[in-house]
Amino acid sequence: MPNFVFAYHGGKPPESPEEGAKVMAAWNAWFETMGSAVVDGGAPVGASKTVAAGGVTDGGGANPLSGYSIVSADTIDAAVDMAKGCPILEGGGNVEVAEAMEM
C-alpha cells in the first residue's frame, strides 16, 4: 500500500496553553480515526529557507509549509478523504496530499 505525505500549509499557533491542549486533542482525535493508516504523525515545522540555484530566500515562499504527516492508503483519493478531517482546515489552513513514490 502506498504512503502519502500530508503537507500542511497555513493555520496559526495556539495563543495559550489551554488552546494548545485543545488543538492537540483535536489532532490526536483525528489521528485516532485513521488508526494504523498513520505511518508518521509528523510535526509542525518552524521558519524555513528556500534554496535555489540563484540563492537562498527566507520564509518558504507564497504558501509556506507549517507541518507534515505520512499516511498509508490504497489510492490518493482515499488519502484525500482522510485529509478532509484534518483540524488545520478549521483554522483556515489546507492540506496538500502527494504520494511518496517508491524508488
Side-chain angles (χ1 to χ4, degrees):
M1 187 174 308
N3 288 336
F4 295 87
V5 177
F6 286 0
Y8 307 119
H9 301 274
K12 60 183 176 87
E15 295 181 8
S16 69
E18 295 79 18
E19 185 182 350
K22 183 178 175 183
V23 168
M24 281 307 303
W27 280 83
N28 288 332
W30 177 56
F31 286 142
E32 285 179 22
T33 67
M34 294 185 287
S36 64
V38 178
V39 175
D40 178 353
V45 299
S48 65
K49 294 185 177 281
T50 302
V51 180
V56 178
T57 56
D58 292 329
N63 194 18
L65 184 68
S66 57
Y68 74 96
S69 297
I70 300 173
V71 301
S72 177
D74 289 328
T75 65
I76 194 168
D77 291 330
V80 165
D81 284 342
M82 285 188 246
K84 289 177 181 177
C86 182
I88 202 166
L89 301 175
E90 295 173 18
N94 62 69
V95 183
E96 181 178 350
V97 180
E99 184 173 354
M101 305 299 290
E102 290 287 328
M103 298 293 290

